[in-house]
């Protein structure tokens, strides 16, 4: 197994069977140490901070795991207006944020015209802009890009087609993949990722997820444990395994050494210090929630998410304690 880790570390290439055996390997610390070394060698000690604005929790989809699914009648829906969004962006840039991430449910109220107006206004500030608003048409994506959006996040969630179908009623796996290829073609820095520990998900399917990320040549990969959430069909299921989540993340770092990998909020939600452990096992990005306080609890994609919130000051302290620092640039994917 030591040879396999060494091979991953030096060649950044593993077969399906090799990924499966690493995912099953008990001594995960060896994988984490290797991923941390690769992270330092390729992307250094800088950590990129992204300011996340959750601007609408209205969603037309019904993903079985997600707390803001359309059929959840127990949450109050909200939309930020353009002025509130721009005010949040302005405050964030004053604080030093270099990337804004606009995230929402799949909310048709924010049509192409409204998004274009938002993108234009945000790009008056000196920031990189990431969108995370779901599946749209090729033309929509192209219009966002032409207007100035730089990056797009759309997790594939799982590449197990059968599991995808059960988890995402009335959605198409083919279309989701097509959206990702469209984003790449249009020239977005494209982020994707998967959930870890969905009911009936196998280790083999996680290995397929990792190979898919490589094939897509994704620029950013965010993964996190599935968290059973109240008022969803999966509320009684077991949470995903946090150490398996770290392992998937670390293997992604070994195979895609120069990409951006966030220490995700779901990791911190399931484990105190989860963010810190992730940063020492391959991650080089942190997303900070800058949604206006009154809306935060309502963007409940999974339970206890807000417990894991961290401020800019706190992240500075955390990074100091592990000999890392906040990066000064925009934090784009630099291919090596
Ligand atoms: N547990 C963990 N992650 C979740 N997401 C949605 N619901 C959950 C959940 N219950 C993740 C999805 C989505 C991202 C924004 O949040 O992977 O892409």
């Amino acid at each position: 197994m030591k040879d396999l880790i060494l091979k991953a570390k030096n060649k950044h290439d593993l077969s399906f069977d090799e990924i499966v055996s690493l995912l099953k390997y008990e001594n995960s610390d060896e994988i984490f140490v290797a991923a941390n070394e690769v992270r330092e060698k390729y992307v250094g000690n800088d950590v990129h901070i992204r300011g996340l604005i959750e601007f609408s929790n209205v969603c037309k989809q019904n993903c079985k795991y997600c707390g803001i699914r359309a059929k959840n009648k127990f949450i109050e829906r909200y939309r930020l207006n353009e002025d509130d969004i721009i005010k949040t962006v302005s405050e964030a840039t004053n604080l030093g944020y270099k990337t804004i991430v606009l995230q929402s449910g799949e909310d048709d109220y924010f049509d192409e015209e409204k998004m274009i107006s938002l993108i234009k206004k945000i790009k008056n500030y000196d920031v990189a802009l990431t969108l995370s608003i779901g599946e749209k048409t090729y033309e929509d994506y192209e219009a966002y890009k032409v207007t100035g959006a730089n990056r797009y996040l759309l997790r594939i969630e799982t590449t197990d087609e059968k599991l995808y179908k059960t988890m995402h009623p009335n959605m198409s796996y083919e279309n989701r993949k097509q959206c990702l290829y469209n984003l790449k073609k249009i020239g977005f820095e494209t982020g994707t990722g998967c959930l870890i520990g969905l009911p009936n998900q196998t280790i083999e399917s996680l290995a397929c997820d990792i190979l898919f990320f490589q094939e897509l040549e994704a620029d950013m990969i965010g993964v996190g444990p599935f968290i059973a959430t109240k008022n969803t069909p999966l509320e009684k299921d077991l949470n995903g395994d946090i150490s398996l989540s770290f392992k998937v993340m670390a293997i992604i770092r070994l195979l895609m050494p120069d990409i951006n990998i966030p220490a995700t909020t779901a990791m911190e939600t399931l484990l105190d210090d989860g963010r810190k452990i992730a940063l020492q096992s391959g991650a080089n990005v942190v997303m900070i929630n800058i949604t206006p306080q009154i809306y935060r609890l309502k963007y409940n994609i999974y339970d206890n998410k807000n417990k894991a919130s961290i401020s800019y000051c706190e992240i500075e302290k955390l990074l100091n304690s592990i000999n890392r620092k906040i990066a000064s640039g925009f934090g784009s994917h630099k291919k090596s």
Side-chain angles (χ1 to χ4, degrees):
M1 217 36 98
K2 289 200 174 20
D3 286 346
L4 200 54
I5 296 173
L6 212 60
K7 178 182 167 194
K9 201 175 139 183
N10 295 325
K11 299 231 164 35
H12 318 297
D13 187 29
L14 292 178
S15 69
F16 173 80
D17 289 341
E18 289 171 332
I19 296 175
V20 170
S21 54
L22 270 192
L23 285 170
K24 291 182 175 167
Y25 185 43
E26 300 270 318
N27 207 345
S28 343
D29 280 352
E30 290 171 27
I31 307 176
F32 301 159
V33 168
N36 196 39
E37 286 170 7
V38 169
R39 186 270 310 153
E40 184 171 3
K41 178 171 170 198
Y42 282 83
V43 295
N45 286 325
D46 278 5
V47 173
H48 303 289
I49 306 295
R50 322 295 196 195
L52 173 68
I53 308 176
E54 300 158 333
F55 68 98
S56 164
N57 71 348
V58 178
C59 191
K60 66 179 178 189
Q61 302 295 2
N62 272 297
C63 308
K64 290 218 173 121
Y65 44 79
C66 185
I68 66 167
R69 64 203 302 274
K71 284 186 180 161
N72 185 358
K73 299 290 176 237
F74 297 95
I75 59 163
E76 209 183 303
R77 303 286 169 173
Y78 72 87
R79 289 183 178 116
L80 266 70
N81 63 37
E82 194 177 83
D83 287 349
D84 285 340
I85 297 173
I86 301 303
K87 189 166 160 258
T88 308
V89 171
S90 164
E91 287 166 1
T93 51
N94 284 336
L95 281 171
Y97 285 90
K98 297 272 182 263
T99 295
I100 296 295
V101 182
L102 279 189
Q103 189 177 83
S104 69
E106 289 203 3
D107 181 0
D108 288 337
Y109 171 83
F110 285 96
D111 56 11
E112 192 184 293
E113 194 189 325
K114 290 200 182 66
M115 287 312 302
I116 296 297
S117 166
L118 265 175
I119 296 166
K120 271 193 193 140
K121 292 198 170 139
I122 293 174
K123 290 303 289 185
N124 285 330
Y125 296 83
D126 188 27
V127 281
L129 175 60
T130 307
L131 300 178
S132 177
I133 59 175
E135 294 179 22
K136 306 283 169 189
T137 64
Y138 189 94
E139 290 70 29
D140 286 335
Y141 287 154
E142 208 170 31
Y144 306 153
K145 183 73 177 63
V146 168
T147 312
N150 310 91
R151 310 181 186 137
Y152 205 101
L153 298 178
L154 182 75
R155 284 187 177 176
I156 189 78
E157 313 293 1
T158 174
T159 56
D160 178 334
E161 209 168 337
K162 202 166 142 238
L163 182 61
Y164 187 93
K165 275 211 164 72
T166 32
M167 288 295 137
H168 306 99
N170 303 316
M171 288 175 75
S172 145
Y173 175 66
E174 273 315 307
N175 190 58
R176 197 158 190 91
K177 265 205 333 203
Q178 191 57 55
C179 282
L180 284 164
Y181 288 117
N182 290 347
L183 289 163
K184 276 300 282 189
K185 186 163 172 215
I186 290 166
F188 275 104
E189 265 188 69
T190 304
T192 186
C194 61
L195 284 162
I196 292 156
L198 287 169
N200 299 316
Q201 190 180 35
T202 61
I203 291 285
E204 284 72 16
S205 94
L206 289 170
C208 289
D209 295 350
I210 296 172
L211 288 171
F212 170 72
F213 303 150
Q214 270 192 303
E215 184 210 292
L216 177 70
E217 296 187 41
D219 301 284
M220 332 178 247
I221 302 288
V223 302
F226 154 68
I227 299 173
T229 294
K230 64 178 180 307
N231 303 320
T232 68
L234 306 184
E235 65 183 349
K236 300 225 156 60
D237 280 275
L238 288 179
N239 287 336
D241 177 343
I242 181 70
S243 41
L244 181 60
S245 307
F246 292 138
K247 241 198 259 183
V248 171
M249 184 196 71
I251 294 170
I252 293 168
R253 171 61 73 201
L254 293 173
L255 297 182
M256 305 177 77
D258 60 15
I259 65 166
N260 283 323
I261 300 182
T264 56
T265 309
M267 289 170 168
E268 179 76 16
T269 302
L270 282 198
L271 181 71
D272 290 341
D273 268 353
R275 187 178 281 121
K276 184 171 164 185
I277 294 170
L279 285 166
Q280 294 176 295
S281 311
N284 70 321
V285 172
V286 172
M287 286 164 93
I288 298 184
N289 194 340
I290 58 169
T291 309
Q293 202 67 43
I294 48 166
Y295 301 111
R296 281 205 202 165
L297 282 175
K298 296 179 182 151
Y299 199 83
N300 193 56
I301 46 182
Y302 50 83
D303 287 343
N304 300 317
K305 176 172 144 279
N306 283 291
K307 250 185 28 196
S309 275
I310 191 168
S311 70
Y312 200 89
C313 284
E314 287 166 332
I315 196 73
E316 257 177 334
K317 266 192 227 137
L318 169 68
L319 294 181
N320 253 324
S321 75
I322 55 172
N323 292 318
R324 307 274 284 279
K325 64 172 187 6
I326 296 182
S328 55
F330 293 113
S332 307
H333 174 206
K334 289 187 195 70
K335 294 182 185 128
S336 52

